[in-house]
Coordinates of all heavy atoms in Angstrom, one line a residue:
M1 N -12.5 11.3 4.3 CA -12.1 10.2 3.3 C -12.4 8.9 3.8 O -12.3 8.6 5.1 CB -10.7 10.4 3.0 CG -10.1 9.3 2.3 SD -8.3 9.3 1.9 CE -8.2 10.9 1.0
Q2 N -12.7 8.0 2.9 CA -13.1 6.6 3.5 C -11.8 5.8 3.0 O -11.0 6.1 2.3 CB -14.3 6.2 2.8 CG -15.6 6.9 3.3 CD -16.8 6.5 2.6 OE1 -16.8 6.0 1.3 NE2 -18.0 6.5 3.1
C3 N -11.8 4.5 3.7 CA -10.8 3.7 3.4 C -10.7 3.3 2.0 O -9.5 3.2 1.4 CB -11.1 2.2 4.2 SG -11.0 2.5 5.9
K4 N -11.7 3.2 1.3 CA -11.8 2.9 -0.2 C -10.8 3.9 -1.0 O -10.0 3.6 -1.7 CB -13.1 2.7 -0.8 CG -13.2 2.1 -2.1 CD -14.6 2.0 -2.6 CE -14.5 1.5 -3.9 NZ -15.8 1.5 -4.5
Q5 N -11.2 5.2 -0.6 CA -10.5 6.3 -1.3 C -8.9 6.4 -0.8 O -8.1 6.4 -1.6 CB -11.0 7.6 -1.0 CG -12.5 7.8 -1.6 CD -13.3 8.8 -0.8 OE1 -13.5 8.8 0.3 NE2 -13.4 9.9 -1.7
A6 N -8.7 6.0 0.4 CA -7.4 6.0 0.9 C -6.6 5.0 0.2 O -5.4 5.2 -0.3 CB -7.5 5.7 2.5
T7 N -7.1 3.8 0.1 CA -6.3 2.7 -0.6 C -6.1 3.0 -2.1 O -5.1 2.6 -2.6 CB -7.1 1.3 -0.4 OG1 -8.4 1.5 -0.9 CG2 -7.0 0.8 0.9
Q8 N -7.2 3.7 -2.7 CA -7.0 4.1 -4.1 C -5.8 5.0 -4.3 O -4.8 5.0 -5.1 CB -8.3 4.7 -4.6 CG -9.2 3.6 -5.2 CD -10.6 4.3 -5.5 OE1 -10.8 5.5 -5.3 NE2 -11.5 3.5 -6.1
L9 N -5.7 5.9 -3.2 CA -4.7 7.0 -3.3 C -3.3 6.3 -3.1 O -2.3 6.6 -3.7 CB -4.9 8.0 -2.3 CG -5.9 9.1 -2.6 CD1 -6.0 10.1 -1.5 CD2 -5.5 9.8 -3.9
L10 N -3.3 5.3 -2.2 CA -2.1 4.5 -2.0 C -1.6 3.8 -3.2 O -0.4 3.8 -3.5 CB -2.3 3.5 -0.8 CG -2.3 4.2 0.6 CD1 -2.8 3.2 1.6 CD2 -1.0 4.7 0.9
S11 N -2.4 3.3 -4.0 CA -2.0 2.6 -5.2 C -1.7 3.6 -6.3 O -0.7 3.4 -6.9 CB -3.1 1.8 -5.8 OG -3.8 1.0 -4.9
L12 N -2.5 4.8 -6.3 CA -2.1 5.8 -7.2 C -0.7 6.4 -7.0 O 0.0 6.7 -7.9 CB -3.2 6.8 -7.0 CG -3.2 7.9 -8.1 CD1 -3.6 7.3 -9.5 CD2 -4.3 9.0 -7.8
R13 N -0.4 6.5 -5.7 CA 0.9 7.0 -5.3 C 2.1 6.2 -6.0 O 3.1 6.8 -6.1 CB 1.0 7.0 -3.8 CG 2.1 7.8 -3.3 CD 2.0 7.9 -1.8 NE 2.3 6.6 -1.1 CZ 2.4 6.4 0.2 NH1 2.3 7.4 1.0 NH2 2.6 5.3 0.6
Q14 N 1.9 5.0 -6.4 CA 2.9 4.2 -6.9 C 3.1 4.6 -8.3 O 4.2 4.4 -9.0 CB 2.6 2.8 -7.0 CG 2.2 2.0 -5.6 CD 3.3 2.2 -4.8 OE1 4.4 1.9 -5.0 NE2 3.0 2.5 -3.3
E15 N 2.1 5.3 -8.9 CA 2.2 5.6 -10.4 C 2.5 7.1 -10.6 O 3.1 7.5 -11.6 CB 0.9 5.3 -11.1 CG 0.6 3.8 -11.0 CD -0.9 3.6 -11.3 OE1 -1.5 4.3 -12.0 OE2 -1.4 2.5 -10.7
R16 N 2.0 8.0 -9.8 CA 2.3 9.2 -9.9 C 2.3 10.0 -8.5 O 1.7 9.5 -7.7 CB 1.4 10.0 -10.9 CG 0.0 10.0 -10.3 CD -0.9 11.1 -11.0 NE -2.3 11.1 -10.6 CZ -2.7 11.8 -9.4 NH1 -1.9 12.4 -8.6 NH2 -4.0 11.8 -9.1
P17 N 3.1 11.1 -8.4 CA 3.0 11.8 -7.2 C 1.6 12.3 -6.9 O 1.0 12.8 -7.8 CB 4.1 12.9 -7.3 CG 4.7 12.7 -8.7 CD 4.0 11.7 -9.4
L18 N 1.2 12.4 -5.6 CA 0.0 12.9 -5.4 C 0.0 14.4 -5.1 O 1.1 15.0 -4.9 CB -0.6 12.4 -4.0 CG -0.6 10.8 -3.9 CD1 -1.1 10.5 -2.5 CD2 -1.6 10.2 -4.9
N19 N -1.1 15.1 -5.5 CA -1.0 16.5 -5.3 C -1.1 16.9 -3.8 O -1.5 16.1 -3.0 CB -2.0 17.2 -6.1 CG -3.4 16.9 -5.7 OD1 -3.7 16.8 -4.6 ND2 -4.3 16.8 -6.7
R20 N -1.0 18.2 -3.5 CA -1.0 18.6 -2.0 C -2.2 18.1 -1.3 O -2.2 17.5 -0.1 CB -0.8 20.0 -1.9 CG -0.6 20.5 -0.5 CD -0.4 21.9 -0.5 NE 0.9 22.2 -1.0 CZ 1.4 23.4 -0.9 NH1 0.6 24.5 -0.4 NH2 2.5 23.8 -1.3
R21 N -3.4 18.3 -1.9 CA -4.5 17.9 -1.3 C -4.8 16.5 -1.1 O -5.2 16.1 0.0 CB -5.6 18.5 -2.2 CG -7.0 18.5 -1.5 CD -8.1 18.9 -2.3 NE -9.4 18.8 -1.7 CZ -10.5 19.0 -2.3 NH1 -10.7 19.6 -3.4 NH2 -11.7 18.8 -1.7
E22 N -4.4 15.7 -2.1 CA -4.5 14.3 -2.0 C -3.6 13.7 -0.8 O -4.0 13.0 0.0 CB -4.2 13.6 -3.3 CG -5.2 13.7 -4.4 CD -4.7 13.3 -5.8 OE1 -3.4 13.4 -6.0 OE2 -5.4 12.9 -6.6
K23 N -2.4 14.2 -0.8 CA -1.4 13.8 0.2 C -2.0 14.2 1.5 O -1.9 13.4 2.6 CB -0.2 14.8 -0.1 CG 1.0 13.9 -0.3 CD 2.3 14.7 -0.4 CE 3.1 14.3 -1.5 NZ 4.2 15.2 -1.8
F24 N -2.5 15.3 1.7 CA -3.0 15.8 3.0 C -4.2 14.9 3.6 O -4.1 14.4 4.6 CB -3.4 17.2 3.0 CG -4.0 17.8 4.3 CD1 -3.1 18.2 5.2 CD2 -5.3 17.8 4.5 CE1 -3.5 18.6 6.4 CE2 -5.8 18.2 5.6 CZ -4.9 18.8 6.7
S25 N -5.1 14.6 2.6 CA -6.3 13.9 3.1 C -5.8 12.4 3.4 O -6.3 11.7 4.2 CB -7.4 13.9 2.2 OG -6.9 14.0 0.8
L26 N -4.8 11.9 2.6 CA -4.3 10.6 2.8 C -3.7 10.4 4.2 O -3.9 9.7 4.9 CB -3.4 10.1 1.6 CG -2.8 8.8 1.8 CD1 -3.9 7.6 1.8 CD2 -1.8 8.5 0.7
Q27 N -2.9 11.5 4.4 CA -2.0 11.4 5.6 C -3.0 11.5 6.8 O -2.9 10.9 7.9 CB -1.0 12.5 5.6 CG 0.2 12.2 4.9 CD 1.3 13.3 4.9 OE1 1.0 14.3 5.5 NE2 2.5 12.9 4.4
F28 N -4.0 12.3 6.6 CA -5.0 12.6 7.7 C -5.7 11.2 8.0 O -5.8 10.8 9.1 CB -6.0 13.6 7.4 CG -6.9 14.0 8.5 CD1 -6.3 14.7 9.6 CD2 -8.2 13.7 8.5 CE1 -7.2 15.0 10.6 CE2 -9.0 13.9 9.5 CZ -8.5 14.7 10.6
H29 N -6.0 10.5 7.0 CA -6.7 9.3 7.1 C -5.9 8.2 7.7 O -6.2 7.4 8.6 CB -7.3 8.7 5.8 CG -8.0 7.5 5.8 ND1 -9.4 7.5 6.2 CD2 -7.6 6.2 5.8 CE1 -9.9 6.2 6.2 NE2 -8.7 5.4 6.0
L30 N -4.6 8.2 7.4 CA -3.7 7.2 7.8 C -3.4 7.4 9.3 O -3.2 6.4 10.1 CB -2.3 7.3 7.1 CG -2.3 6.8 5.6 CD1 -0.9 6.8 5.1 CD2 -2.8 5.4 5.6
M31 N -3.5 8.7 9.8 CA -3.3 9.0 11.2 C -4.4 8.2 11.9 O -4.2 7.9 13.1 CB -3.4 10.5 11.4 CG -2.0 11.1 11.8 SD -2.1 12.9 11.6 CE -3.8 13.3 12.1
L32 N -5.6 8.3 11.5 CA -6.8 7.7 12.2 C -7.1 6.3 12.0 O -7.7 5.6 12.8 CB -8.1 8.5 11.7 CG -8.0 10.0 11.8 CD1 -9.3 10.7 11.2 CD2 -7.8 10.4 13.2
C33 N -6.6 5.7 10.9 CA -6.9 4.5 10.5 C -5.8 3.5 10.5 O -4.9 3.5 9.6 CB -7.6 4.5 9.2 SG -8.2 3.0 8.5
K34 N -5.8 2.6 11.4 CA -4.6 1.5 11.5 C -4.8 0.7 10.3 O -3.6 0.2 9.7 CB -4.9 0.9 12.8 CG -3.7 0.0 13.1 CD -3.8 -0.7 14.3 CE -2.6 -1.7 14.7 NZ -2.8 -2.5 15.9
G35 N -5.9 0.2 9.9 CA -6.0 -0.6 8.7 C -5.3 -0.2 7.5 O -4.5 -0.8 6.8
C36 N -5.5 1.1 7.2 CA -4.9 1.6 6.0 C -3.4 2.0 6.2 O -2.6 1.9 5.3 CB -5.6 3.0 5.6 SG -7.3 2.6 4.9
R37 N -3.0 2.2 7.4 CA -1.6 2.3 7.7 C -0.9 0.9 7.3 O 0.1 0.8 6.7 CB -1.3 2.6 9.2 CG -1.4 4.0 9.5 CD -0.5 4.4 10.7 NE -0.9 3.7 11.8 CZ -1.9 4.2 12.7 NH1 -2.3 5.3 12.4 NH2 -2.3 3.5 13.7
N38 N -1.6 -0.2 7.8 CA -1.0 -1.5 7.5 C -1.1 -1.7 5.8 O -0.1 -2.2 5.4 CB -1.9 -2.6 8.0 CG -1.7 -2.6 9.5 OD1 -0.6 -2.2 10.1 ND2 -2.7 -3.2 10.3
F39 N -2.1 -1.3 5.2 CA -2.2 -1.4 3.8 C -1.0 -0.6 3.2 O -0.4 -1.0 2.2 CB -3.4 -0.9 3.3 CG -3.7 -1.1 1.9 CD1 -3.9 -2.3 1.2 CD2 -3.5 0.0 1.0 CE1 -3.9 -2.5 -0.1 CE2 -3.6 -0.1 -0.4 CZ -3.8 -1.3 -0.9
A40 N -0.7 0.6 3.7 CA 0.3 1.5 3.1 C 1.6 0.7 3.3 O 2.5 0.7 2.3 CB 0.4 2.7 3.9
A41 N 1.8 0.1 4.4 CA 3.2 -0.6 4.6 C 3.3 -1.8 3.7 O 4.3 -2.1 3.1 CB 3.2 -1.1 6.1
Q42 N 2.2 -2.5 3.4 CA 2.1 -3.7 2.5 C 2.5 -3.2 1.1 O 3.2 -3.8 0.5 CB 0.7 -4.3 2.5 CG 0.5 -5.4 3.5 CD -0.8 -5.9 3.4 OE1 -1.5 -5.8 2.4 NE2 -1.3 -6.4 4.6
V43 N 1.8 -2.1 0.7 CA 2.0 -1.6 -0.7 C 3.6 -1.2 -0.8 O 4.1 -1.6 -1.8 CB 1.2 -0.3 -0.9 CG1 1.7 0.3 -2.2 CG2 -0.2 -0.7 -1.1
D44 N 4.2 -0.6 0.2 CA 5.5 -0.3 0.1 C 6.4 -1.6 0.0 O 7.2 -1.6 -0.9 CB 5.9 0.4 1.3 CG 5.5 1.9 1.2 OD1 5.1 2.3 0.0 OD2 5.5 2.8 2.2
S45 N 6.1 -2.6 0.8 CA 7.0 -3.7 0.8 C 6.8 -4.5 -0.5 O 7.6 -5.2 -1.0 CB 6.8 -4.6 2.1 OG 5.5 -5.0 2.1
L46 N 5.5 -4.6 -0.8 CA 5.3 -5.2 -2.3 C 5.9 -4.7 -3.3 O 6.6 -5.4 -4.1 CB 3.7 -5.3 -2.5 CG 2.8 -6.3 -1.9 CD1 1.4 -6.1 -2.5 CD2 3.3 -7.6 -2.3
R47 N 6.1 -3.3 -3.3 CA 6.7 -2.6 -4.2 C 8.3 -3.0 -4.3 O 9.0 -3.2 -5.3 CB 6.6 -1.2 -4.2 CG 7.2 -0.5 -5.4 CD 7.1 1.1 -4.9 NE 7.4 2.0 -6.0 CZ 7.5 3.2 -5.9 NH1 7.4 3.8 -4.7 NH2 7.7 3.9 -6.9
A48 N 8.8 -3.0 -3.1 CA 10.3 -3.4 -2.8 C 10.4 -4.8 -3.4 O 11.4 -5.2 -4.1 CB 10.6 -3.3 -1.5
I49 N 9.5 -5.7 -3.0 CA 9.6 -7.0 -3.5 C 9.7 -7.3 -5.0 O 10.5 -7.7 -5.6 CB 8.6 -8.0 -2.9 CG1 8.8 -8.2 -1.4 CG2 8.4 -9.4 -3.5 CD1 7.6 -8.9 -0.8
S50 N 8.7 -6.6 -5.6 CA 8.6 -6.7 -7.1 C 9.8 -6.1 -7.8 O 10.0 -6.5 -8.9 CB 7.2 -6.2 -7.6 OG 7.2 -4.8 -7.4
R51 N 10.4 -5.1 -7.1 CA 11.6 -4.6 -7.6 C 12.7 -5.6 -7.7 O 13.5 -5.7 -8.7 CB 12.0 -3.3 -7.0 CG 11.3 -2.1 -7.4 CD 11.9 -0.9 -6.7 NE 11.3 0.3 -7.3 CZ 11.7 1.5 -7.0 NH1 12.7 1.7 -6.1 NH2 11.2 2.5 -7.5
G52 N 12.8 -6.3 -6.6 CA 14.0 -7.2 -6.5 C 13.6 -8.5 -7.0 O 14.3 -9.6 -6.7
Y53 N 12.5 -8.7 -7.7 CA 12.0 -10.0 -7.9 C 12.7 -10.7 -9.1 O 12.7 -12.0 -9.2 CB 10.4 -9.8 -8.5 CG 9.6 -11.0 -8.0 CD1 9.0 -10.9 -6.7 CD2 9.4 -12.0 -9.0 CE1 8.3 -12.0 -6.3 CE2 8.6 -13.1 -8.5 CZ 8.0 -13.0 -7.2 OH 7.4 -14.2 -6.7
A54 N 13.4 -9.9 -10.0 CA 13.9 -10.4 -11.2 C 14.9 -11.7 -10.8 O 14.9 -12.6 -11.6 CB 14.6 -9.4 -11.9
K55 N 15.5 -11.5 -9.8 CA 16.6 -12.5 -9.5 C 16.1 -13.5 -8.4 O 16.7 -14.5 -8.1 CB 17.8 -11.9 -8.9 CG 17.6 -10.9 -7.8 CD 18.8 -10.2 -7.4 CE 18.5 -9.1 -6.3 NZ 19.6 -8.4 -5.9
G56 N 14.9 -13.3 -7.9 CA 14.5 -14.0 -6.7 C 13.6 -15.1 -7.1 O 13.2 -15.3 -8.3
Q57 N 13.2 -16.1 -6.2 CA 12.4 -17.1 -6.4 C 11.0 -16.7 -6.0 O 10.9 -15.8 -5.2 CB 12.8 -18.4 -5.6 CG 14.2 -18.6 -5.7 CD 14.7 -18.8 -4.3 OE1 14.4 -18.1 -3.4 NE2 15.7 -19.7 -4.1
P58 N 10.0 -17.4 -6.5 CA 8.6 -17.2 -6.0 C 8.5 -17.5 -4.5 O 9.2 -18.4 -4.1 CB 7.7 -18.1 -6.8 CG 8.6 -19.0 -7.5 CD 10.0 -18.4 -7.5
P59 N 7.8 -16.9 -3.8 CA 7.6 -17.2 -2.3 C 7.0 -18.5 -2.2 O 6.0 -18.9 -2.9 CB 6.6 -16.0 -1.9 CG 5.9 -15.6 -3.1 CD 6.9 -15.7 -4.2
S60 N 7.5 -19.2 -1.3 CA 6.9 -20.6 -1.1 C 5.8 -20.6 -0.1 O 6.0 -20.4 1.0 CB 8.0 -21.5 -0.6 OG 8.5 -21.0 0.6
S61 N 4.6 -20.6 -0.7 CA 3.4 -20.7 0.1 C 2.7 -22.0 0.2 O 1.5 -22.1 0.0 CB 2.5 -19.5 -0.3 OG 2.2 -19.7 -1.6
D62 N 3.5 -23.0 0.0 CA 3.0 -24.3 -0.2 C 2.9 -25.1 1.2 O 3.8 -25.4 1.8 CB 3.9 -25.2 -1.0 CG 3.2 -26.5 -1.5 OD1 2.1 -26.7 -1.0 OD2 3.8 -27.3 -2.2
E63 N 1.6 -25.2 1.7 CA 1.4 -25.7 3.0 C 0.6 -27.0 2.9 O -0.2 -27.3 3.8 CB 0.8 -24.7 3.9 CG 1.6 -23.4 4.2 CD 0.8 -22.6 5.1 OE1 -0.1 -22.9 5.8 OE2 1.3 -21.4 5.0
S64 N 0.7 -27.7 1.8 CA -0.1 -28.8 1.7 C 0.6 -30.1 2.3 O 0.0 -31.2 2.2 CB -0.3 -29.1 0.1 OG 1.0 -29.3 -0.5
E65 N 1.6 -29.9 2.9 CA 2.4 -31.0 3.5 C 2.1 -31.2 5.0 O 2.7 -30.6 5.8 CB 3.9 -30.8 3.4 CG 4.6 -32.1 3.6 CD 6.1 -31.9 3.2 OE1 6.5 -30.8 2.5 OE2 6.9 -32.8 3.4
S66 N 1.0 -31.9 5.2 CA 0.7 -32.1 6.6 C 0.4 -33.7 6.8 O -0.6 -34.1 6.5 CB -0.5 -31.4 7.1 OG -1.5 -31.6 6.2
K67 N 1.4 -34.3 7.3 CA 1.3 -35.8 7.6 C 0.6 -36.5 6.5 O -0.7 -36.9 6.9 CB 0.7 -36.1 9.0 CG 1.8 -35.7 10.0 CD 1.1 -36.0 11.4 CE 2.2 -35.4 12.5 NZ 1.5 -35.5 13.8
Ligands
LIG1 ZN1 -8.8 3.4 6.3

């Protein structure tokens, strides 16, 4: 499996449960690939954020203030 497929499965996982084979190959890839592990963590936290988003404010990513 390549990173592209792994990331696709990670996104897909948000919409439906993966079947056994998909899960297995995804886990195998995550074991070997740090990049996709990071991506997996991001997907999870993004999901958590968007769930609690209704009451929250948008993240302040405004860095235009420099002297
Ligand atoms: Zn990867």
Side-chain angles (χ1 to χ4, degrees):
M1 176 183 292
Q2 296 178 329
C3 291
K4 193 176 175 185
Q5 292 164 292
T7 51
Q8 274 172 356
L9 282 181
L10 285 169
S11 312
L12 192 61
R13 194 170 67 169
Q14 309 295 320
E15 294 162 28
R16 67 160 173 84
L18 302 181
N19 66 38
R20 183 180 286 187
R21 189 179 171 183
E22 288 168 331
K23 244 184 223 173
F24 181 79
S25 38
L26 179 60
Q27 284 184 349
F28 188 69
H29 183 88
L30 289 182
M31 246 164 40
L32 304 175
C33 179
K34 194 180 178 185
C36 287
R37 274 206 301 276
N38 287 339
F39 182 77
Q42 269 178 28
V43 168
D44 283 349
S45 60
L46 275 181
R47 190 189 194 189
I49 287 171
S50 64
R51 274 187 172 185
Y53 215 84
K55 55 186 172 184
Q57 317 125 317
S60 61
S61 58
D62 193 358
E63 297 179 18
S64 59
E65 195 172 354
S66 57
K67 289 184 188 171

